[in-house]
Amino acid sequence: RVLSHAAEAGAKVVLVGDPQQLQAIEAGAAFRSIHERHGGAEIGEVRRQREDWQRHATRDLATGKMGHALEAYRAHGMVHEAESRDQARGDLIDHWDRDRQSSPDRSRIILTHTNDEVRILNEAARKRMRAAGDLGDEVEVTVERGARNFASGDRIMFLQNERGLGVKNGTLGTIEQVSAQSIAVQTDDGRSVRFDLKDYNRIDHGYAATIHKAQGMTVDRVQVLATPGMDAHSSYVALSRHRDGVDLHYGRDDFANADRLTRALSRDRAKDMASDYDLADPVQSYAERRGITFRERVAEIVRKVVPEKLRDIFDGLRTPADVAGPDNGQRPERATPERENSGPAAERSGAEVPASNVAQDPEADARRIRTRALVRHARAVDAIFEAQETGGRASPEQAKELQKARQAFEEVRSFGSHDAEAAYKKNPELAREAADGRVNRAIRALQLETELRSDPGRRADRFVERWRELDQTSQRLYQAGDLSGYKAARSAMGDMAKSLQRDPQLESILASRKNDLGIAFESGRRLGQDLAFVHGIDLGRGRGLGI
């Protein structure tokens, strides 16, 4: 819509961004894709860092040379290893406090990956401030994220744009005055802002922030706590916010050694586009982009009404990726005229294509490789689906092929098999389509699962939405006398409740959304147990896919 208005007005639209930094929240990677296909102006000069070696380190971060960047900071004493994350957190606060007292006029921020860590670090920083006598009288107020204690002298961060106040999401400042009704803040750009909490309460302590909040931020000094959730994109942002220096802290319980740290912080989790894959059927693609499909509606009905038919086919099959054995056990090739020929049709089916028939285009080659890996993995999954549909189990050969297909997929797309299997569990029809070379819908579902995996907030939203949907469906089926469908829906709810035992991060986020899940009390039990208790679900008999 923006481009349409610009075209009508005769205006010019300039897209500005860095595809190597934090990835977009929504699906796809449109900015990166446009730049790759059509080019653009690039800024090569690093201006934020004041020292040349740090500018070179930032270039290394931007070009994927994480090891070089970390080595440069390690050589200058800015990478700190500790026995545990708790100790690393304590060391970080010590560095922050010493720097605060020796250079009170310099700006600084603590960065980490999760909101839980931000809360812990904020509290630890405030204790140091309180011990040094730098905070005024405490006032307890209720803000968007819950109860907080604020005092004059506290650092504060605004969490939502508000034009009337002249603040943005991520604006930092220092509290001048605070009461139970209002707060006066001097922002870091020198303005004085006063607001009533009943009108604006999107604030929190501003000593520490998530890396996502810090994109676009510039301060003099940065302290970073590395945790396993970080990747090349978040590391790039976290290690390039400073003018003067950055200290990176980590514990050996998270990263056993420096090499493990480098590998984790080098992980490429760039989002992809459907156009990054070699689409097997242009006609099918044209129809599906316009919603012309009957299979999708059937799959939706199956998911809602008969979830007991969706078996969790992967239990017991996820063994180490380097399983040895012959390359057999693939699903039988479907007999089609395409498989008797070479060329593009044969390539879609997985057959070998003479090199002379393939255009020498690296980008096209990369798409073909990703597509082959996706299709091979889908065939391995679909073969196991077929075995279970007939009441059998996966053969050893099929299990080995699934492991090999997973490994091949992971080599060309990080977490590719993991995210694809999460999509196939919810809609097995996608595996059949992808196995036949019709990959469009599978790619879209894979991208969605990637977003849900990398964004805990979205996973929580999806959990609540799915739970409510199953609860309403089960009640409707019970009232209609469909006991089989009712039991299937309740079984799926049981699987969702049990899944929280394996996902403490999601359980922690959902703990603040108990009302949305129908829980109106505090019991001291795990959230999954409370869900089962309130809704009368027997966790011992749950089966199916869960969330």
Side-chain angles (χ1 to χ4, degrees):
R1 291 198 297 270
V2 170
L3 294 175
S4 296
H5 286 302
E8 292 172 1
K12 177 181 180 181
V13 176
V14 179
L15 305 181
V16 181
D18 185 345
Q20 296 305 114
Q21 293 194 33
L22 296 171
Q23 300 299 286
I25 294 174
E26 298 297 336
F31 181 88
R32 187 263 301 164
S33 184
I34 291 171
H35 185 267
E36 284 182 355
R37 284 159 176 74
H38 304 288
E42 295 189 15
I43 299 174
E45 181 182 2
V46 177
R47 301 180 62 88
R48 180 179 282 128
Q49 284 74 48
R50 291 179 173 137
E51 296 191 37
D52 286 341
W53 72 266
Q54 293 187 11
R55 292 172 181 169
H56 288 305
T58 297
R59 290 192 191 94
D60 287 337
L61 293 169
T63 54
K65 300 176 184 176
M66 178 62 65
H68 292 172
L70 289 180
E71 190 56 40
Y73 282 113
R74 188 175 286 108
H76 287 80
M78 296 182 178
V79 178
H80 311 280
E81 180 181 89
E83 288 294 330
S84 65
R85 189 191 299 185
D86 285 343
Q87 183 181 336
R89 196 185 293 120
D91 293 344
L92 182 153
I93 293 297
D94 286 341
H95 276 80
W96 173 87
D97 197 29
R98 286 197 299 269
D99 183 69
R100 178 183 72 87
Q101 296 190 47
S102 62
S103 304
D105 295 333
R106 291 200 294 184
S107 59
R108 59 188 55 82
I109 193 71
I110 300 169
L111 299 179
T112 190
H113 183 61
T114 67
N115 282 317
D116 286 342
E117 281 293 341
V118 167
R119 178 78 181 271
I120 294 171
L121 290 165
N122 270 326
E123 291 175 353
R126 289 194 81 242
K127 286 182 180 178
R128 296 297 181 93
M129 294 281 287
R130 174 63 64 194
D134 293 332
L135 297 181
D137 294 335
E138 300 273 338
V139 177
E140 182 175 347
V141 300
T142 299
V143 296
E144 184 186 33
R145 292 183 174 180
R148 294 287 190 273
N149 287 328
F150 288 108
S152 58
D154 252 329
R155 293 290 288 168
I156 191 173
M157 175 178 283
F158 294 85
L159 305 177
Q160 181 173 297
N161 297 348
E162 178 54 59
R163 289 186 178 181
L165 296 177
V167 298
K168 297 180 180 180
N169 184 3
T171 295
L172 291 167
T174 302
I175 294 180
E176 297 177 316
Q177 293 180 339
V178 57
S179 69
Q181 292 78 35
S182 65
I183 296 180
V185 177
Q186 182 176 22
T187 62
D188 283 358
D189 58 7
R191 295 178 297 110
S192 184
V193 176
R194 188 179 189 92
F195 54 94
D196 289 337
L197 289 167
K198 62 180 176 56
D199 299 323
Y200 184 93
N201 68 348
R202 277 76 170 181
I203 55 174
D204 207 340
H205 296 117
Y207 304 98
T210 62
I211 298 168
H212 279 75
K213 285 287 185 188
Q215 183 161 262
M217 180 185 295
T218 298
V219 295
D220 294 324
R221 295 281 303 176
V222 177
Q223 302 288 333
V224 179
L225 178 64
T227 58
M230 292 176 64
D231 54 28
H233 313 285
S234 57
S235 301
Y236 175 21
V237 172
L239 298 175
S240 61
R241 300 302 94 198
H242 63 285
R243 296 187 187 96
D244 298 327
V246 58
D247 288 283
L248 178 66
H249 303 261
Y250 70 96
R252 280 197 290 272
D253 53 350
D254 286 327
F255 310 99
N257 51 50
D259 289 340
R260 291 283 182 88
L261 174 72
T262 301
R263 285 201 296 271
L265 268 56
S266 300
R267 289 177 296 191
D268 182 6
R269 291 177 176 170
K271 292 194 174 182
D272 49 16
M273 303 281 286
S275 56
D276 293 330
Y277 293 78
D278 188 27
L279 299 183
D281 188 343
V283 175
Q284 178 82 10
S285 173
Y286 179 90
E288 289 186 353
R289 284 200 305 269
R290 288 152 181 80
I292 307 172
T293 172
F294 177 67
R295 292 172 182 247
E296 187 173 354
R297 177 58 182 155
V298 172
E300 180 183 356
I301 295 172
V302 170
R303 285 198 306 273
K304 290 185 176 181
V305 180
V306 286
E308 77 275 11
K309 292 185 179 181
L310 307 182
R311 301 287 191 257
D312 189 347
I313 66 168
F314 305 107
D315 283 348
L317 292 180
R318 191 167 284 282
T319 55
D322 56 348
V323 175
D327 189 11
N328 53 21
Q330 292 194 31
R331 58 180 283 115
E333 297 281 6
R334 290 182 171 84
T336 66
E338 291 180 342
R339 300 194 182 278
E340 300 174 4
N341 305 306
S342 60
E347 181 183 326
R348 288 195 300 269
S349 68
E352 292 297 325
V353 181
S356 60
N357 291 347
V358 180
Q360 299 301 311
D361 180 351
E363 185 177 330
D365 289 343
R367 288 199 298 270
R368 277 191 286 269
I369 292 171
R370 281 193 290 267
T371 302
R372 285 177 177 173
L374 185 150
V375 171
R376 177 184 179 182
H377 176 256
R379 286 178 184 159
V381 170
D382 193 37
I384 299 174
F385 268 129
E386 288 184 347
Q388 291 209 340
E389 284 175 0
T390 58
R393 299 182 61 183
S395 68
E397 291 77 14
Q398 289 172 331
K400 288 179 181 179
E401 169 56 20
L402 179 60
Q403 296 301 332
K404 291 183 178 181
R406 283 170 173 162
Q407 185 174 9
F409 204 175
E410 295 294 326
E411 288 175 357
V412 297
R413 188 187 194 281
S414 298
F415 295 94
S417 65
H418 177 280
D419 294 340
E421 287 172 17
Y424 298 154
K425 288 179 185 180
K426 296 173 183 176
N427 185 359
E429 182 70 15
L430 294 176
R432 175 63 55 86
E433 290 181 11
D436 284 336
R438 293 175 287 125
V439 299
N440 300 45
R441 291 206 306 144
I443 292 171
R444 290 199 295 272
L446 184 153
Q447 291 171 340
L448 175 60
E449 294 301 328
T450 300
E451 293 174 28
L452 294 175
R453 171 175 52 77
S454 58
D455 186 341
R458 290 204 64 184
R459 285 196 292 128
D461 291 341
R462 186 70 174 267
F463 187 101
V464 171
E465 178 185 356
R466 177 66 174 152
W467 181 268
R468 288 174 166 177
E469 180 183 85
L470 283 172
D471 188 30
Q472 294 170 1
T473 299
S474 68
Q475 295 178 29
R476 185 173 62 252
L477 292 172
Y478 183 82
Q479 293 171 359
D482 185 352
L483 294 183
S484 176
Y486 167 77
K487 291 179 180 178
R490 302 286 282 182
S491 175
M493 293 172 72
D495 287 333
M496 290 181 66
K498 286 195 297 184
S499 73
L500 294 178
Q501 299 173 9
R502 303 186 299 272
D503 195 341
Q505 183 182 42
L506 179 60
E507 184 180 35
S508 175
I509 295 172
L510 289 171
S512 63
R513 302 186 61 178
K514 287 186 175 182
N515 288 337
D516 295 338
L517 296 168
I519 301 174
F521 59 87
E522 292 292 337
S523 68
R525 293 188 296 251
R526 298 287 295 270
L527 179 59
Q529 295 172 328
D530 280 343
L531 280 173
F533 176 79
V534 169
H535 294 273
I537 298 171
D538 183 355
L539 293 182
R541 293 199 299 268
R543 293 198 308 166
L545 298 178
I547 186 69

